[in-house]
Amino acid sequence: MIPRTRRSAAALVLSGAVLTGTLAGTLAGTASAREDRFDDDFPAQSARLVDRHVLPARTFGEPVPSGSAIEGANGVVAPFDAQPVQGFSGNLVQPDGSWLVLSDNGYGAKANSADFLLAVHRLQPADDGSVAVVPGGFTLSDPYRKVTWQLTREDRRLTGADFDVESFRQAPDGTFWFGEEFGPYLLHTDAAGRLIQAPVPLPGVASPDNPLLGEAEANLGGSKGFEGMAVSADGRYLFPMLEGPVAGDDAQDLRVMRYDTEQHRYRGEEFTYRLESPTNAIGDFTRVDDHRFLVLERDGGEGAAAVFKAVFLVDTSRTDAAGHPLKTQLVNLMAVPDPDGVAPELSAASGYVTFPFQTIESVDVVDEHTIVVGNDNNFPFSAGRTPGAPDDNEFLTIEVQADLG
């Protein structure tokens, strides 16, 4: 049972422990109780809020000036004396309960993000709902000159004008793989964020921002490259997912590719994900097991204009008549049940917490019945929670009835 007091993310992580007799028996004994509780309380949605953590929008890190090419918004004056800790487009839950989060290209475009350093931050959620930036993060760089075209900075630290990283996974050897949108490319770095091989293009697919092609040669929409990326259990295969259709594809169909990290080549298309609407986009793509994945799907609205934000469980072992993997809505992020009053300031009137952000771009599995979902706050531009105020970085920890073990 979920108690009526706040539980930290660290307390929810099983840390890879073996389920010995007592723990296994406890989980087995609570399975029927969980099903009954969800059915009785929320028959329309088998999910409930466990925790909510907030990192303030005005959180800054390394003292390197940034934001010189943007105008302020929502009461925020630019430029900044330091790097904003924002734009989270991926979250890897760590065994100790901390999170590794990926900042994307910075301010939304290649032209205005040359002074934003691409970074992975380590965050530590606390029992009181706060989040701290702690040691263990890193920025991306190319000291070994794996990139053949000109970079923005002479010191070869990578910026939002060089790549737009939107997803990442850690390999068993400790290295990282990043999916990005300008190419689209796959980037492979060591544990300190240094590129260890040349950017890997997707054959036959190019965005308008591809540095090696002219805009007229693009067959993919701008900012529609690799938005999400899953990885196989053994780390051999990556499954990068495009955010938009390739020219000639159905407007609702998104390609999920398979890349072999041992043979260093694409093995073709893994499957096609069917959007609920051609105007929707995906925010993240996470592996559950060898045939199930989590997908964040959303509209482009924020605040009062936000209508559709959801987490789907996709089962590739089952398909519909058109051959698309079957989808089951796991959580409606516009109405997350909060029966225990985890966030009473948001749910007191309705009993539900809304997540009305334009971009919701990270989802990861905490344990077999828990996920954590985070927004990309697009600092300082988005104001989905409070009109006129920049959105904070928010994370919802949600218990689901579905077994993600």
Side-chain angles (χ1 to χ4, degrees):
M1 298 288 288
I2 297 296
R4 294 183 178 275
T5 56
R6 178 179 295 277
R7 293 169 59 190
S8 69
L12 288 167
V13 179
L14 292 180
S15 302
V18 176
L19 297 182
T20 56
T22 301
L23 179 56
T26 300
L27 291 175
T30 58
S32 60
R34 175 184 287 110
E35 184 174 354
D36 292 341
R37 184 177 74 246
F38 279 124
D39 289 345
D40 291 343
D41 294 347
F42 295 97
Q45 184 179 185
S46 299
R48 61 174 56 209
L49 188 65
V50 172
D51 248 328
R52 175 174 175 260
H53 288 87
V54 179
L55 180 69
R58 291 178 173 85
T59 299
F60 295 87
E62 186 175 354
V64 174
S66 186
S68 62
I70 67 170
E71 295 184 3
N74 295 311
V76 176
V77 178
F80 316 117
D81 294 331
Q83 296 285 308
V85 180
Q86 60 100 339
F88 300 153
S89 294
N91 184 359
L92 303 183
V93 176
Q94 301 301 292
D96 65 356
S98 65
W99 302 327
L100 287 181
V101 294
L102 171 66
S103 288
D104 57 22
N105 91 308
Y107 304 111
K110 197 172 189 176
N112 65 9
S113 300
D115 56 8
F116 186 89
L117 299 175
L118 301 183
V120 171
H121 303 279
R122 185 180 291 272
L123 305 182
Q124 183 63 60
D127 289 348
D128 63 359
S130 64
V131 181
V133 181
V134 297
F138 55 86
T139 56
L140 275 62
S141 62
D142 181 35
Y144 310 129
R145 298 186 174 273
K146 300 299 183 179
V147 178
T148 58
W149 56 89
Q150 184 174 354
L151 296 176
T152 303
R153 294 175 59 102
E154 291 186 1
D155 62 5
R156 304 191 71 80
R157 299 182 77 183
L158 300 181
T159 74
D162 300 314
F163 296 101
D164 183 4
V165 286
E166 296 284 349
S167 52
F168 75 135
R169 298 294 165 192
Q170 190 166 21
D173 63 3
T175 63
F176 287 90
W177 286 90
F178 297 82
E180 78 89 47
E181 294 200 309
F182 287 165
Y185 292 108
L186 296 177
L187 306 179
H188 192 196
T189 77
D190 62 16
R194 297 169 296 206
L195 281 177
I196 54 177
Q197 69 180 80
V200 181
L202 176 59
V205 178
S207 87
D209 290 315
N210 189 297
L212 299 181
L213 298 176
E215 187 170 336
E217 300 173 89
N219 58 357
L220 184 69
S223 192
K224 295 298 182 182
F226 292 143
E227 183 69 31
M229 183 168 63
V231 63
S232 62
D234 60 4
R236 175 172 179 174
Y237 296 107
L238 299 174
F239 303 96
M241 182 179 188
L242 294 172
E243 187 178 8
V246 178
D249 290 354
D250 189 295
Q252 284 184 246
D253 289 347
L254 305 181
R255 298 183 187 182
V256 177
M257 310 303 297
R258 177 191 286 257
Y259 180 77
D260 189 329
T261 65
E262 291 185 4
Q263 296 188 0
H264 305 288
R265 67 185 181 94
Y266 279 96
R267 304 295 292 270
E269 185 175 332
E270 183 69 7
F271 66 89
T272 300
Y273 177 81
R274 181 76 170 174
L275 293 167
E276 297 296 289
S277 165
T279 60
N280 284 352
I282 68 107
D284 205 1
F285 179 57
T286 299
R287 175 187 174 276
V288 174
D289 54 35
D290 61 356
H291 63 92
R292 294 185 301 161
F293 301 85
L294 298 181
V295 177
L296 270 172
E297 185 175 338
R298 57 175 179 80
D299 62 19
E302 69 174 7
V307 176
F308 183 84
K309 319 282 183 180
V311 180
F312 285 93
L313 182 63
V314 180
D315 188 343
T316 61
S317 69
R318 304 163 61 208
T319 59
D320 61 20
H324 298 104
L326 290 184
K327 299 166 55 178
T328 302
Q329 183 172 295
L330 204 62
V331 184
N332 173 10
L333 293 172
M334 292 304 297
V336 182
D338 185 19
D340 299 325
V342 171
E345 70 277 19
L346 301 178
S347 64
S350 65
Y352 294 85
V353 168
T354 64
F355 216 48
F357 303 109
Q358 180 184 23
T359 47
I360 303 171
E361 298 195 350
S362 68
V363 60
D364 201 13
V365 178
V366 178
D367 63 32
E368 67 258 30
H369 288 288
T370 316
I371 62 174
V372 60
V373 178
N375 68 318
D376 172 354
N377 68 339
N378 298 309
F379 180 80
F381 305 116
S382 290
R385 182 70 75 190
T386 305
D391 283 329
D392 294 324
N393 301 286
E394 294 190 25
F395 301 88
L396 301 185
T397 303
I398 303 168
E399 184 190 28
V400 297
Q401 183 177 347
D403 184 0
L404 307 178

